Every structure is written in C-alpha cells, then in structure tokens.
Amino acid sequence: MAGSEDLSGLAASLGELHVESSPSKDSEISQPGNSVDDDAIADDDVWDDVSDSPGHGSTLDREWVHRQNQFHKMGYRDGIAEGQKDIAQEGFNVGFGQSVHVGYKWGLVRGITSAEDNSKN
C-alpha cells in the first residue's frame, strides 16, 4: 500500500529531526543578575498598539489637516462650477425672454416682406 510507505518514510525523516532550544526572554528575565529591563521587552512586543507610539498622534493630525484642506479645495471647486452653471442658466433665461419678443417681431416682418415678394411674381 503506497500510503503506508509514505507514512513510514515521513516517520523516519521526523526521527532524524533535531531541534535545539534557545533561551526565551522570560527565562532571561528571571535569571538573577540579568540587566534586561521590562521596558526593553515591552518595546519588542509585536502586538503592541501602534497608536501608543510617540509621534503617532502628530501623524494623524497632519493627515487630518491634509484631508481637510483637500476636501475644502474640492468643495470650493465644485461650488464655483455649480455657481457658474447657475449664473449661465440665469443669464440664458433672461436673454431668451428678451430675445423672444424681438425674434417674434423680426419673424413677422420677414414673413410679411417675403409674402409681398411672392405676390408680385
């Protein structure tokens, strides 16, 4: 059976495996006369919260100010664009209202003159 040969080969290779232990930080601390202090061990903690590190607050503050300025500029630009659209639309509405009457009268004059020209022929 092929599966049992694989297992026996694995067991043989595991039997040849040698592991050497190294002293842990806890055993170094507990030995008398050791000069390692608790602060140095606490600084090495991988799971230590980054927000507790010095300077982290100022980084967040700088990022906050940067984002605030960025959104302020975007809002200003959007406001200018919308204002220009509103002014242009308002100007168009006023101009259209004024030109409708002039255009209507001009159309009547042209219509009458072209009708007279056609009647002469």
Side-chain angles (χ1 to χ4, degrees):
M1 183 174 191
S4 63
E5 291 174 3
D6 290 339
L7 288 178
S8 64
L10 180 62
S13 66
L14 285 178
E16 297 171 5
L17 182 64
H18 299 286
V19 179
E20 295 180 15
S21 64
S22 63
S24 68
K25 290 182 182 179
D26 294 334
S27 64
E28 289 177 5
I29 293 173
S30 62
Q31 294 175 357
N34 194 348
S35 63
V36 178
D37 60 340
D38 292 333
D39 293 333
I41 299 299
D43 289 341
D44 288 342
D45 190 9
V46 176
W47 305 109
D48 196 16
D49 189 11
V50 177
S51 64
D52 293 340
S53 64
H56 184 73
S58 63
T59 303
L60 288 177
D61 291 339
R62 281 194 311 264
E63 186 173 344
W64 172 257
V65 168
H66 174 73
R67 297 284 183 222
Q68 190 175 17
N69 289 338
Q70 183 181 16
F71 286 121
H72 179 77
K73 287 177 188 174
M74 288 172 51
Y76 181 78
R77 289 178 186 153
D78 289 346
I80 293 292
E82 288 298 318
Q84 288 173 344
K85 287 179 189 176
D86 289 345
I87 293 296
Q89 183 64 45
E90 183 180 334
F92 175 81
N93 292 343
V94 169
F96 186 79
Q98 292 172 351
S99 66
V100 165
H101 300 295
V102 173
Y104 179 74
K105 290 177 184 176
W106 178 250
L108 285 176
V109 169
R110 288 211 41 184
I112 292 171
T113 56
S114 68
E116 289 178 8
D117 288 338
N118 287 338
S119 66
K120 290 181 183 179
N121 288 333

